């Protein structure tokens, strides 16, 4: 998987539940490239990073 596809998948998962992106979390392009090179799957990365920072998923807004 290309780095751009990996980062896009991570961003989609983060955005969907926490309304944040890798950039919002402070990761720069060099750090994102390093994370991608580690070979960790996007889902596994999101799970690990959200547990590490104890992120609480946002509930959908209801009218």
């Amino acid at each position: 998987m290309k780095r751009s596809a990996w980062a896009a998948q991570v961003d989609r998962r983060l955005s969907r539940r926490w309304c944040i992106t890798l950039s919002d979390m402070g990761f720069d392009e060099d750090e994102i490239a390093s994370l991608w090179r580690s070979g960790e799957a996007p889902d596994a990365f999101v799970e690990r990073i959200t547990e590490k920072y104890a992120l609480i998923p946002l509930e959908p807004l209801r009218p």
Side-chain angles (χ1 to χ4, degrees), residues 8-52:
Q9 283 188 22
V10 169
D11 277 346
R12 276 193 300 276
R13 284 162 176 77
L14 289 171
S15 293
R16 194 175 311 135
R17 294 203 60 203
W18 294 278
C19 294
I20 58 173
T21 65
L22 287 166
S23 295
D24 295 334
M25 294 182 76
F27 292 103
D28 65 25
E29 288 301 317
D30 290 337
E31 292 169 317
I32 293 169
S34 177
L35 292 166
W36 168 72
R37 281 192 298 274
S38 76
E40 189 171 18
D43 287 338
F45 172 75
V46 170
E47 181 69 25
R48 181 175 62 80
I49 205 75
T50 56
E51 284 182 17
K52 178 179 180 178

